[in-house]
Each structure stands twice: as C-alpha cells, then as structure tokens.
Amino acid sequence: MRIGELSRLTGVPTRMLRYYEEQDLLHPERAGNGYRHYPESAVYRVQQIRGLLDSGLTTEIIRRILPFLTKPDEIHLHPQCLTPELADLLEAEADRIQQRIECLARNRDAIHAYLAAVRSSRAGAFTK
C-alpha cells in the first residue's frame, strides 16, 4: 500500500509516517518511481509506534525495542539483547513516566479539591 492509504488506515498523517521512517521506525520499500510501498503489517506497526509514543517513550527507546515486539503486550527479547545500556535507558524512562503519573495525580487531586470547594460555596449560596 502507498503512504496515503497507510495514513488513512491508521489516522496518522503522511508527514508523521515520513518522520517515523527518518527515525528508523518504519522501513517501506521503494517502487521504481520512488513511491513508498508498505506491507499490510505496517498498519499494525504504526499502531504499535503510536501506542508507545502515547505512553511517553522516546523514538530512541522505541527504535531499540520495536524489533522485539510482535504482538500486543508481547515482547520477545532474548536476554543477551538487553544490554546494560538499554536496561539503564528503560529504567530511567520508567522513572520518568512514574514522575509524570505522580504529577498528574497531584493535578487531578487539586482539581477535585477546587471543584469540591466551588460546589460547596454554590450550595451554600442557594441555601441562603
């Protein structure tokens, strides 16, 4: 399939698909006329990339782990492939994501407290 069809099927703009190629995340074949040609499996691969990006992983980390992802929630990683450098990178990324989760939780709690205070003051205004 050509890039436009892949874009349509995944909802990812063609510009972003080209970026994934530049980042060595997608590997289309090139036709004689220079057009990109993607296999059907590219739809799933783009969905994986989107999910990993949405979870907060960097393209560097995704590039390193993508070859080991074959199905959703399955990682086929030979123990020798997990180098100390990659382990450190993944650990730092997990720590960064945890910090984001904690920050988001604090923001959520602050919003709930604000809403409770506003609702309480409105309820008091109606009882007077």
Side-chain angles (χ1 to χ4, degrees):
M1 81 183 77
R2 294 199 10 216
I3 194 168
E5 185 177 359
L6 181 60
S7 174
R8 184 180 57 76
L9 290 173
T10 60
V12 175
T14 57
R15 185 175 183 184
M16 190 62 67
L17 295 173
R18 288 185 197 99
Y19 174 74
Y20 295 165
E21 184 181 349
E22 289 171 10
Q23 295 300 306
D24 200 27
L25 302 176
L26 278 180
H27 307 101
E29 295 177 9
R30 292 286 184 154
N33 58 9
Y35 289 170
R36 292 168 175 85
H37 177 76
Y38 296 89
E40 295 296 320
S41 61
V43 172
Y44 173 69
R45 183 60 81 184
V46 169
Q47 291 168 340
Q48 280 184 316
I49 293 167
R50 286 296 331 142
L52 293 167
L53 287 169
D54 290 347
S55 73
L57 294 179
T58 64
T59 55
E60 177 186 354
I61 292 173
I62 294 170
R63 182 175 38 260
R64 290 180 180 210
I65 66 172
L66 202 57
F68 306 107
L69 302 177
T70 56
K71 296 180 182 176
D73 302 324
E74 283 189 28
I75 299 176
H76 296 282
L77 183 63
H78 190 278
Q80 293 175 339
C81 298
L82 185 61
T83 64
E85 178 188 74
L86 181 56
D88 290 345
L89 191 61
L90 290 172
E91 186 68 38
E93 190 64 17
D95 291 345
R96 188 185 68 77
I97 290 171
Q98 184 60 42
Q99 289 173 358
R100 285 181 53 206
I101 290 169
E102 291 167 4
C103 179
L104 288 169
R106 284 191 304 274
N107 291 344
R108 180 205 55 219
D109 294 345
I111 289 169
H112 284 306
Y114 175 76
L115 286 171
V118 168
R119 287 179 177 146
S120 175
S121 68
R122 281 188 183 169
F126 291 123
T127 60
K128 292 183 182 180

